[in-house]
Amino acid sequence: FMAARSQLSRHMAGESHCQRRPAARRWGLGLHCHKETIFLGCLLFLVSGCETQGVHDAVGCSHTTDTQVQCPTLKESVPREGGLADLVAQGELDVDLDPQQVPCRGKEKMCYQSAVNDRIMCTEGTEIESRILDGQSNTKSALMEVLPGGETVCGHGNREFSFFVQVESLEHTKALVVFMNGGICFDADCATMMGLNLDNMVGKEPDISPERSPATPTFLKASLGQKLDTGIFKEFDESWAVWLIPDCTGDDHIGNRSYTYNDDDEDTCFTAHHKGGVNSGAAIDYLLENLGGLQQVVLLNSGYNPRKENSQGFGGVGAAFWANYIQKRLPSASVRTILDSALGVYGPMWKEIHRNDPWGASNVMVPDADEREGEDKFLLPPKDEWSLADDDMTHYYRWAVEKSPSLAFADVSAVDDAVQIEGFVKTGGKPDGEDCCLEGCGCPGTPLYGWRGGKLDWSKTRKVQILKRLKHLPNNYRVWLRSGGKDGLKRFLVSLIWTKLDPPEISSSERMDFCPIIPVGSVVCPQAYRLKNWINNFVNGRVIRDGTGMTLGNTFMDKTYEARAFGSSICEHCLNGIPGGNTEMGESCNATYYRGENLFTVAPKYHTDWMALWSLNGNDAPDTQSQGGSYRFAHEYIVQEGDTLQSIASRFATTVDELIDLNFNIISHITNPVRLGEGDRICVVPSFAKNKDRFGTPICDVVGPQPMEGTI
């Protein structure tokens, strides 16, 4: 890893040694295609790049940046029948793309089914009212395609970006905005997959499974002129406008950078146009400009596959990053965010991956940036308040709610989602069974004697992050968890409602798969409907505030912490076992004796001595073995106003690094040492021998008493 980082540093300094290879495919992919790549959804953890210049420009193997191409487009009028594969065979769609090192530029257009001849028409401009509401389109509330042009672009083969809308009129007061999961990308192999997706986009490569192209919009193009009115769209009826935003840039809807990746095994390069922030910004701006009277907005991150195979796209938290901006544009509206099968839980290497900001996420500007000042011009928080490289999603939710207290976020996920686990492992975590502990880990075996296990365990990390959200955001966060998911089947839970809610299409066994809790002997009920009702409650629930803006409560389900963490929306035992997690104010600085352990043997784990631990626990002799029993390993300290991790470390004669290690992956986990909040609870092991009182006098006389003069 360090060698790769050194290579990256050389590239960034201008020492590029990439070579261009002959075109590997008809559309000009200029690098070796690793078809054996099996990590689906483009999560690959090692960043390695060729030269990159600025935010918007990237230098590829040929070091050319001055060539500008027009994105390939469909002809103005094509029949609906036949599909895109037939269009390609007929020469109706140009896919001979040169992988330009700068993004192509498209033209503003709209595509819809003509009311005159039932053909799909694509006409210049994106003005919606005259085309749709004045009868040019076949029906109101029919699906239309909008191509915003300009700087929007798809990284899948460097082609034009489009999103899809369904509206009844411009008087809608409610909107459902679906951010489609499309995977996240960090290196040359993944960028190669982004290129391979192009042929699947137009139906040229049927041998490429749908799992490898989770953002494929072919089915949406084939649905132009039709109504989305089944599944979840039946719940969000015609009173809701619908916006569908594909993810085709490998950056989870928050990128603004063209980044050239170098293949570590081959001297080849590929430029990925991470422009998801630009694309989604265009779609969001189109929504807010055309529907100015919105009072209710639901942001849904989910995947969809009409063939009913399981989409393996990793990622899917991007919608959350747009919530605060939309709330600022619509201050009186209710804005709710639902993330489907994307808990945003990553391994420790996630920070290093984003250290160089390959997506350019920190440079994504909001659509109306020209009308804003300072940090308000940017989508993501200022780096001194939150960043991808230094913080986690839990802290982002806290930041967003601090800025916009009426926001609310919800997760819907299987606890053992195979794709999320693979992403966690790719970013430095461990699957269940490889880093065991007795405090919430997903290990069937016994932890190693004398070892502080569980720091990298998937189950424990997932539990810690969710419990922290439930503790810190009682009025603004909810979660629905179901067991299972390791088989990878039925990955996107909300999408199952999307496609397969109404009987008799859904079988009783499929309904059971939604069940958060299935105790032995209970009567199984249609759990899909329970999830539907849970989502409806979340969508229509309110965060209650008084006239001064202070939050007083909420109208969501599960008011108490215990109900939120262990109630009807949580599968049995799915959040159990974390010290301090069972109750809202539970002690967090506890651990469990492994076999053969006592206070003497566990003290070295925490860089302390048996006497300090005995003073915390009392009673039992320090050499008494207490397998399975609980003990305190540290003092719990409540962070006060003005505290920093450094000041706390100095007060208790320890170090910042020791505090971070002591609290790692427990309920008091410290993601970013500069991001402590007043009222946070952390575990502290004082060093009594080094500590001083408030006057600066050592508490312990380390020198000891001196012999009297004249004595031996």
Side-chain angles (χ1 to χ4, degrees):
F1 178 74
M2 294 308 296
R5 292 294 300 170
S6 175
Q7 182 187 44
L8 173 60
S9 299
R10 292 197 305 272
H11 290 326
M12 297 304 293
E15 184 185 332
S16 178
H17 54 267
C18 298
Q19 298 175 355
R20 194 167 182 80
R21 291 199 168 196
R25 310 179 63 81
R26 177 172 175 260
W27 38 276
L29 180 60
L31 77 165
H32 178 64
C33 299
H34 293 276
K35 281 200 171 183
E36 68 274 14
T37 301
I38 61 172
F39 180 61
L40 309 176
C42 289
L43 174 65
L44 292 146
F45 67 88
L46 194 55
V47 178
S48 177
C50 297
E51 279 185 67
T52 303
Q53 296 181 346
V55 176
H56 299 286
D57 302 322
V59 178
C61 301
S62 61
H63 298 281
T64 59
T65 61
D66 56 352
T67 303
Q68 187 71 63
V69 297
Q70 183 71 28
C71 294
T73 61
L74 287 168
K75 290 187 175 181
E76 289 190 0
S77 177
V78 295
R80 275 186 51 180
E81 294 75 16
L84 293 184
D86 290 344
L87 298 179
V88 174
Q90 298 164 12
E92 300 285 354
L93 181 65
D94 180 12
V95 292
D96 284 328
L97 292 185
D98 182 8
Q100 297 291 320
Q101 307 311 313
V102 293
C104 66
R105 295 182 70 90
K107 295 180 179 180
E108 288 188 0
K109 289 182 298 183
M110 288 189 71
C111 298
Y112 49 89
Q113 184 181 14
S114 171
V116 177
N117 54 19
D118 200 35
R119 297 166 70 88
I120 300 301
M121 304 295 297
C122 295
T123 57
E124 291 189 4
T126 58
E127 197 276 321
I128 189 172
E129 187 168 13
S130 63
R131 291 178 174 81
I132 310 308
L133 306 183
D134 290 344
Q136 291 188 33
S137 175
N138 191 28
T139 59
K140 293 182 178 180
S141 294
L143 197 66
M144 301 169 289
E145 183 179 16
V146 179
L147 299 93
E151 294 187 7
T152 64
V153 68
C154 271
H156 290 172
N158 196 14
R159 59 182 178 80
E160 61 186 350
F161 165 77
S162 65
F163 59 93
F164 299 82
V165 304
Q166 181 170 286
V167 295
E168 174 74 17
S169 73
L170 299 186
E171 305 301 319
H172 282 285
T173 60
K174 299 184 289 186
L176 170 66
V177 184
V178 182
F179 291 77
M180 301 185 68
N181 289 15
I184 49 182
C185 180
F186 295 110
D187 72 358
D189 285 338
C190 182
T192 304
M193 283 304 300
M194 291 174 67
L196 285 174
N197 277 336
L198 174 66
D199 272 3
N200 197 29
M201 289 284 182
V202 298
K204 279 177 61 64
E205 289 290 337
D207 58 313
I208 299 179
S209 67
E211 289 88 341
R212 303 184 80 165
S213 298
T216 302
T218 305
F219 75 96
L220 290 174
K221 288 179 177 290
S223 300
L224 293 181
Q226 302 178 26
K227 289 185 178 181
L228 299 177
D229 56 4
T230 61
I232 199 170
F233 298 110
K234 189 174 182 178
E235 301 306 316
F236 292 88
D237 57 24
E238 288 187 359
S239 66
W240 290 76
V242 176
W243 253 239
L244 295 159
I245 309 177
D247 175 13
C248 56
T249 52
D251 55 27
D252 208 3
H253 299 279
I254 57 171
N256 186 20
R257 187 179 190 181
S258 291
Y259 196 86
T260 301
Y261 295 93
N262 167 231
D263 189 331
D264 291 320
D265 299 323
E266 305 283 347
D267 287 337
T268 56
C269 292
F270 191 87
T271 298
H273 300 304
H274 296 303
K275 295 289 185 175
V278 178
N279 297 349
S280 296
I284 294 298
D285 192 51
Y286 192 76
L287 169 74
L288 300 178
E289 287 294 322
N290 282 287
L291 304 180
L294 290 174
Q295 292 299 313
Q296 196 171 9
V297 179
V298 174
L299 310 179
L300 169 63
N301 236 126
S302 188
Y304 178 77
N305 199 313
R307 304 184 193 180
K308 300 182 181 179
E309 284 101 351
N310 175 41
S311 178
Q312 300 288 316
F314 182 85
V317 298
F321 296 118
W322 286 95
N324 183 60
Y325 170 69
I326 293 174
Q327 187 72 83
K328 295 299 185 185
R329 288 275 299 263
L330 302 170
S332 64
S334 165
V335 179
R336 301 288 174 261
T337 303
I338 303 172
L339 305 182
D340 184 3
S341 304
L343 294 169
V345 176
Y346 309 107
M349 289 183 63
W350 177 259
K351 292 184 176 183
E352 195 61 33
I353 288 169
H354 285 282
R355 190 68 58 197
N356 191 50
D357 194 15
W359 297 346
S362 60
N363 297 291
V364 176
M365 289 191 171
V366 296
D368 60 345
D370 292 344
E371 303 172 14
R372 297 174 177 265
E373 297 181 354
E375 297 295 344
D376 286 342
K377 290 177 174 289
F378 297 92
L379 177 67
L380 297 188
K383 286 186 177 181
D384 61 348
E385 297 180 16
W386 187 90
S387 75
L388 276 173
D390 297 310
D391 298 285
D392 55 26
M393 286 303 297
T394 302
H395 277 79
Y396 175 78
Y397 293 144
R398 295 179 67 179
W399 175 89
V401 167
E402 179 183 349
K403 300 298 181 182
S404 300
S406 295
L407 289 175
F409 301 89
D411 280 311
V412 178
S413 182
V415 296
D416 292 319
D417 185 323
V419 178
Q420 292 188 67
I421 293 175
E422 187 163 7
F424 179 72
V425 173
K426 292 289 185 180
T427 53
K430 298 287 187 182
D432 289 350
E434 294 190 12
D435 185 17
C436 296
C437 69
L438 296 178
E439 299 89 24
C441 287
C443 303
T446 302
L448 295 175
Y449 174 85
W451 176 257
R452 275 181 58 202
K455 289 186 175 182
L456 302 177
D457 178 76
W458 159 254
S459 284
K460 185 176 183 181
T461 305
R462 167 185 55 77
K463 292 177 182 179
V464 165
Q465 289 298 317
I466 293 174
L467 289 171
K468 285 173 69 70
R469 296 170 192 177
L470 292 172
K471 280 178 177 283
H472 289 296
L473 300 166
N475 298 304
N476 308 86
Y477 178 79
R478 292 294 186 270
V479 60
W480 173 288
L481 293 177
R482 77 167 179 91
S483 59
K486 288 184 178 180
D487 54 6
L489 297 177
K490 302 179 178 65
R491 166 149 161 67
F492 292 112
L493 304 185
V494 178
S495 284
L496 280 179
I497 301 179
W498 182 335
T499 56
K500 298 174 64 177
L501 181 61
D502 297 326
E505 295 177 13
I506 184 168
S507 67
S508 59
S509 62
E510 287 172 323
R511 291 180 184 181
M512 289 175 58
D513 285 330
F514 286 101
C515 190
I517 298 179
I518 312 181
V520 176
S522 69
V523 177
V524 176
C525 62
Q527 299 302 329
Y529 289 94
R530 289 183 58 188
L531 176 56
K532 179 198 72 172
N533 293 333
W534 184 87
I535 290 175
N536 284 339
N537 173 265
F538 176 76
V539 166
N540 295 300
R542 294 187 302 111
V543 178
I544 303 172
R545 302 168 66 197
D546 63 16
T548 66
M550 179 179 295
T551 300
L552 302 177
N554 65 83
T555 64
F556 301 127
M557 291 181 181
D558 303 329
K559 300 293 190 299
T560 67
Y561 171 79
E562 287 74 14
R564 296 193 301 274
F566 308 105
S568 60
S569 65
I570 308 296
C571 47
E572 248 186 333
H573 308 303
C574 289
L575 290 178
N576 288 15
I578 302 297
N582 289 338
T583 61
E584 191 165 11
M585 304 303 292
E587 290 189 36
S588 57
C589 306
N590 292 354
T592 305
Y593 287 109
Y594 298 174
R595 184 172 54 202
E597 289 186 329
N598 54 44
L599 291 180
F600 280 123
T601 59
V602 299
K605 292 184 182 182
Y606 308 102
H607 307 290
T608 187
D609 56 74
W610 70 267
M611 187 170 291
L613 293 183
W614 185 76
S615 68
L616 279 171
N617 294 276
N619 296 328
D620 293 338
D623 59 349
T624 300
Q625 295 185 6
S626 304
Q627 179 178 348
S630 178
Y631 65 93
R632 297 186 183 95
F633 63 84
H635 295 266
E636 190 174 78
Y637 178 79
I638 301 176
V639 177
Q640 307 297 309
E641 182 180 2
D643 277 345
T644 65
L645 204 59
Q646 181 60 64
S647 69
I648 296 171
S650 299
R651 181 180 305 173
F652 295 104
T654 182
T655 67
V656 169
D657 288 342
E658 286 179 343
L659 288 178
I660 293 174
D661 179 72
L662 184 68
N663 290 273
F664 197 88
N665 208 24
I666 61 177
I667 203 70
S668 56
H669 179 80
I670 301 170
T671 303
N672 188 337
V674 302
R675 212 78 78 206
L676 285 184
E678 182 180 356
D680 287 355
R681 297 169 180 264
I682 64 171
C683 299
V684 177
V685 174
S687 177
F688 296 106
K690 301 176 183 178
N691 217 341
K692 300 177 181 180
D693 62 22
R694 61 194 178 101
F695 301 107
T697 304
I699 293 177
C700 299
D701 188 350
V702 296
V703 177
Q706 298 298 309
M708 296 178 61
E709 185 176 352
T711 62
I712 299 177

